[in-house]
Amino acid sequence: TIEALERSGRLLRKVGRVFWNLASADTNADLQAIEREMSPKLAAHYAAIYMDAALFARVEAVKGSAAGLDDERSRVLELVHKDFVRAGARLAPAQKERMAQIVERLAALSTQFGQNVLKDEADFVLELGADDVAGLSEQLKASAARTAKERGLACAYAITLSRSHVEPFLESSTRRDLREAVFNAFSARGARGGETDNHAIIAEIVALRAERAHLLGYKTYANYKLDNTMARTPE
C-alpha cells in the first residue's frame, strides 16, 4: 500500500516540476493562465486522494500492524499517515467536502497572490544616469545597462525589482535616496492598489487557513502549521 502510493503519480510530478519551475523563473502570460487553471484542479486532485476513505483505511491497517519495521520504513509510514490525517481523512463527509473547497480556493488565491507580486516586479523600473551608479559593481552596471537597452529606455542604466538587481543595489549604492526608492518599491509589491493589490486576497487566505485549522481540531493555523515541525507548537 505505502510503496504503491509512493510510486503513484510519477509522471504528474515529473511534468509538474518542469512546469512550476518555468512558471516561477521564466514565466509569461500563457504559463500564468495555465497556472491559474491548474492550481485549484491539482489541489482538488490531491484532496480527493488524501480524503479517500478506502485508501485511508488501508493506510490505517498498515500502521496498525507496523511492528518490526526498520527506522526508515517506520518514518515513511508515520509521515504518510500524518499527511492523510492533516489533509482531513478523519473528517465527517460534510467536513471533507468543506475541506476540499477550502484547499481548492487556497490554491487559487495563492497563485493569484504570487502572480500579482510578479506583475508589480515586472512593471517597476528605476532609470539611472551616469551620476547615479556610484558604488555599483561593474557587473551590476553592465546588467543595468543591458536592461535599459532591452526595454528601449533613453537612460544609461535601469534597475528592476529582480533579486539579482535589488540585493546588490541595496548593498552597494551610495545613493540613500535611490536605495530608499528601490526598497520601498520592493516592499510594496502586491500592495499598491489596483488589480494587483493583494490585501483582499490576504484577508481571505487568513480566514480560510483559520477555518482549515479549526476543522482539523487545531486552535490556530500556527498550531496546525507547526505540528509536524521540530518546534511543534507556537509556544
Side-chain angles (χ1 to χ4, degrees), residues 89-121:
R90 286 179 170 165
L91 297 177
Q95 291 176 313
K96 284 184 178 180
E97 184 178 351
R98 178 55 185 158
M99 179 65 78
Q101 292 171 351
I102 290 172
V103 169
E104 192 172 341
R105 180 60 178 160
L106 281 172
L109 290 170
S110 297
T111 298
Q112 190 61 59
F113 181 99
Q115 290 188 0
N116 286 347
V117 170
L118 286 176
K119 180 70 165 56
D120 280 357
E121 280 188 8

Side-chain angles (χ1 to χ4, degrees), residues 76-96:
V76 169
L77 176 57
E78 177 190 357
L79 292 175
V80 169
H81 183 267
K82 192 154 196 171
D83 284 345
F84 273 85
V85 174
R86 287 170 60 82
R90 286 179 170 165
L91 297 177
Q95 291 176 313
K96 284 184 178 180

